[in-house]
Amino acid sequence: MDPVPSNITKSYPRRGPLQQFRFADGTAFRCFRCGDTKKSKLITLYAGDWARKLCNGCYGLLLSLYEIKAGAAAEDVRAEQLAEELLSLVSANQLRQAERIYRASEKRAEVLAAHSLRFVATAEHVAAQLDSDPQLEWSPAVIGLCKAVEAEVVSRILVPLAVLTASEDLSEDKKDKDIGRIAAYCIDSGRKPPELGTFAHFLQTVVHSQERRETSRLIRCFLSLIGDWVGSVWILDPQGFHRALATLTTSYRNRAAHIEELSRQDYIDCREHTFGNKGLVWQLVIATEKTSDCLRV
């Protein structure tokens, strides 16, 4: 533990793992997060550790993340806010470089949707800047992987579903609390796409509700859509796609959207689950191949 640099004249209320102190004299220190050297009378500590001093810029970033995670908004909303914070951590040039690096290291990246590549490349870039200490920044990095999966779901499933249902009357499906948000997107695909949790709930309904399969035009179209995909069995298997999405949301996304601090290991585990050799994304890519595409190979 480092000694207190000088006399404390004021202690500010603790905000999550962060607390600011004002000292009688200006003190030089190195920010443990960004590595810059600073001199200030106002110093922030992380987790009460004097070896973990923060500059004002890093304090503002971590505070904004903490306030999102401590908020009362739903998980989907907090995930969106954390995703925005993730993208704000890198410049446009850094993002382009991160995408080039990811494309070079992962040849499979060529099959990813543009938004998916953007999120996973940014998550990888941000994660590379972090050390092994558990910090709030790991939450946006994990959220980035989740958003990359969400982008693939939208590109590979929801956009084709919206095209297929263009001539269908989905007014009754739109009223259904379990599938209504998916129906609303299909009616107006120009609106913001549904979040990952919304699609997971829709898929759960498709898998388990025999009545909906018989009465819902939206679900009938969904089943027709996947009928020409080689992985339709995996998509409809309760232990397949839905289980993989449930693990992603409960073990990673929802935890990242709450107060709990995620570690480097959490990020590694989430990356393995989503973009590892047998990750969720690559299973989805294979599952959504059309039978005709496979015959041409």
Side-chain angles (χ1 to χ4, degrees):
M1 297 284 286
D2 287 357
V4 177
S6 72
N7 292 330
I8 297 175
T9 60
K10 184 173 182 179
S11 299
Y12 294 87
R14 188 182 179 98
R15 305 185 72 173
L18 309 172
Q19 187 172 15
Q20 286 190 312
F21 297 91
R22 184 171 293 280
F23 297 88
D25 304 310
T27 302
F29 67 96
R30 185 180 299 277
C31 176
F32 92 96
R33 179 189 170 273
C34 68
D36 287 348
T37 55
K38 304 287 183 177
K39 184 174 183 179
S40 176
K41 292 183 178 180
L42 187 65
I43 299 177
T44 301
L45 299 190
Y46 183 88
D49 187 349
W50 285 102
R52 292 171 137 190
K53 304 180 187 74
L54 288 165
C55 66
N56 285 339
C58 290
Y59 168 70
L61 169 64
L62 293 180
L63 180 60
S64 67
L65 297 180
Y66 171 75
E67 288 178 341
I68 291 172
K69 289 161 71 70
E75 284 86 356
D76 282 342
V77 176
R78 275 181 283 189
E80 286 293 313
Q81 293 171 338
L82 287 170
E84 292 175 3
E85 289 290 337
L86 168 71
L87 295 178
S88 72
L89 295 177
V90 299
S91 67
N93 286 336
Q94 288 175 321
L95 176 56
R96 284 191 290 270
Q97 180 67 5
E99 289 184 0
R100 285 195 291 268
I101 291 172
Y102 191 76
R103 284 182 187 275
S105 64
E106 290 281 351
K107 286 299 182 182
R108 294 179 296 182
E110 297 300 326
V111 303
L112 297 178
H115 285 331
S116 180
L117 176 62
R118 181 188 186 200
F119 274 113
V120 68
T122 305
E124 288 283 88
H125 175 79
V126 170
Q129 312 306 310
L130 303 174
D131 58 32
S132 59
D133 287 329
Q135 298 181 34
L136 285 173
E137 290 144 305
W138 288 105
S139 295
V142 168
I143 288 293
L145 297 178
C146 297
K147 290 293 292 182
V149 174
E150 182 178 288
E152 287 299 312
V153 169
V154 171
S155 175
R156 295 181 178 277
I157 299 179
L158 294 183
V159 170
L161 182 60
V163 173
L164 185 62
T165 58
S167 61
E168 297 285 339
D169 180 3
L170 302 181
S171 55
E172 289 302 314
D173 287 314
K174 187 177 179 180
K175 300 175 185 177
D176 190 311
K177 63 181 179 62
D178 295 314
I179 63 176
R181 292 180 64 187
I182 302 296
Y185 174 75
C186 290
I187 293 171
D188 178 14
S189 58
R191 64 188 294 160
K192 183 180 178 181
E195 298 83 1
L196 196 61
T198 299
F199 175 78
H201 188 70
F202 166 78
L203 184 60
Q204 181 181 35
T205 303
V206 173
V207 170
H208 294 291
S209 179
Q210 184 61 40
E211 179 184 354
R212 274 1 185 290
R213 289 195 185 198
E214 296 173 355
T215 60
S216 167
R217 292 187 179 186
L218 176 63
I219 291 180
R220 284 203 302 270
C221 286
F222 176 74
L223 295 174
S224 175
L225 176 68
I226 70 173
D228 193 37
W229 292 347
V230 297
S232 57
V233 172
W234 177 74
I235 291 175
L236 294 177
D237 184 352
Q239 302 304 310
F241 190 27
H242 181 265
R243 182 178 183 181
L245 288 177
T247 298
L248 180 62
T249 54
T250 58
S251 297
Y252 302 107
R253 193 203 66 167
N254 291 355
R255 289 176 57 217
H258 287 81
I259 293 297
E260 184 175 355
E261 296 180 19
L262 271 63
S263 66
R264 178 176 181 269
Q265 189 60 50
D266 289 317
Y267 180 81
I268 292 173
D269 292 343
C270 184
R271 191 188 189 284
E272 181 65 23
H273 182 67
T274 54
F275 287 90
N277 287 334
K278 297 181 180 179
L280 164 59
V281 168
W282 311 126
Q283 293 185 65
L284 178 61
V285 168
I286 295 173
T288 53
E289 288 181 341
K290 293 183 179 180
T291 305
S292 56
D293 294 336
C294 295
L295 292 177
R296 288 197 296 270
V297 175

